Amino acid sequence: MNGVEAGLAAYTDRWTRYRSLPLQTDISGAEDMLASRDEAAVRQYFEIGESALELITTALLIPRLTDPRRILELPCGFGRVTRHLVTFFPESEVWVSDLYPDRVAFCCATFGAVPLLSKERLSEIEAPEQFDVVFSGSLLTHLDDDLFVDALDFFRTVLSPRGVAIVTLHGRWSPHFQRRWKYMADDDFAVAEQAFLETGFGYSPYPGATSFDLQESYGVSLSAPHWVMRHLERWDDIRLYSYTERGWADHQDVLVFGRPGITA
Ligand SMILES: C[S@@+](CC[C@H](N)C(=O)[O-])C[C@H]1O[C@@H](n2cnc3c(N)ncnc32)[C@H](O)[C@@H]1O
């Protein structure tokens, strides 16, 4: 068996086992990733969570990483993805991190994950461990350029010698998404879109107060692949594995990078 055959066999086994196991379906009353509690919305919530496993499988097949020992999900929110991660990787330690303690506490109590409280500036987190997989679903989609690059750098520094970071982003599809479904009012979005078109990165803060009151800055960010690559190219201790436009649920882009470094 060559490497790709072994990888495919290992992930086929994982999917078969995942399908045979019950999924923990408790949803926090505070979950804000759920549009409503009706049946269709709840079904879609579980489908989007599960679809993260598809992109994680695809990402990890590239470096043939099939047996991650320790996984960090940052941000975990209220566990839309966590519930699937712990079922899919039952022999791994799954760590969960968020800026808001109630989110981390829910994921630890409900899914048996290990807590790591985050900071607004990720580089201020003192991570006690290194991780074979970092999954960051929809965080860099909300950060200004300074916090965005700081977060990418944090993910790089917590990778184990075989670690892989999987990060979702708002890319070229996002202005089209805005016109159909709206992240925010058009005038506010236009600020981010204009800068995105001119420089490859744009950010608009959510206007007014949000429930995200532990952070000074939170909004919608748009990043072009070339802008993200420019930052990654500065780091010799990682290599780029892939960039897939609309790779998460046909919506957010998916960036995958990791070790060993480009010069290793
Ligand atoms: C759009 S939600 C995504 C949550 C989860 N990944 C999911 O897909 O359901 C964004 C999350 O990022 C969290 N967050 C915002 N800033 C953060 C930070 N600096 N560190 C960790 N989490 C943060 C928010 O609390 C929220 O749970």
Side-chain angles (χ1 to χ4, degrees), residues 107-202:
C107 289
C108 293
T110 313
F111 311 118
V114 184
L116 179 64
L117 197 58
S118 187
K119 307 266 190 195
E120 179 166 22
R121 179 170 292 279
L122 265 54
S123 57
E124 291 173 6
I125 302 174
E126 286 178 21
E129 299 289 355
Q130 292 187 317
F131 299 89
D132 288 338
V133 176
V134 174
F135 176 67
S136 180
S138 200
L139 174 63
L140 276 67
T141 47
H142 295 287
L143 303 184
D144 66 26
D145 56 346
D146 176 36
L147 291 176
F148 183 116
V149 175
D150 181 78
L152 274 185
D153 196 19
F154 171 77
F155 296 147
R156 174 180 74 96
T157 59
V158 296
L159 291 178
S160 73
R162 61 178 190 152
V164 176
I166 304 166
V167 182
T168 74
L169 305 170
H170 282 150
R172 291 193 299 152
W173 165 244
S174 294
H176 302 278
F177 183 94
Q178 165 70 16
R179 284 184 251 300
R180 290 192 206 175
W181 293 289
K182 310 273 182 221
Y183 297 106
M184 55 176 29
D186 284 340
D187 286 353
D188 295 316
F189 188 83
V191 175
E193 185 175 4
Q194 188 62 32
F196 169 71
L197 293 173
E198 286 169 12
T199 68
F201 186 89

Side-chain angles (χ1 to χ4, degrees), residues 47-58:
E47 283 170 3
I48 292 177
E50 179 181 305
S51 71
L53 295 180
E54 292 181 48
L55 68 92
I56 290 169
T57 299
T58 309

Side-chain angles (χ1 to χ4, degrees), residues 194-248:
Q194 188 62 32
F196 169 71
L197 293 173
E198 286 169 12
T199 68
F201 186 89
Y203 171 78
S204 291
Y206 288 121
T210 71
S211 54
F212 295 98
D213 52 4
L214 289 180
Q215 38 212 148
E216 284 179 18
S217 155
Y218 204 58
V220 171
S221 61
L222 306 174
S223 53
H226 73 85
W227 189 91
V228 177
M229 294 311 147
R230 251 191 25 228
H231 289 285
L232 291 185
E233 283 171 9
R234 293 181 295 142
W235 297 322
D236 286 348
D237 57 351
I238 49 117
R239 64 183 65 181
L240 173 67
Y241 282 118
S242 65
Y243 188 100
T244 309
E245 293 187 299
R246 298 177 63 171
W248 187 14

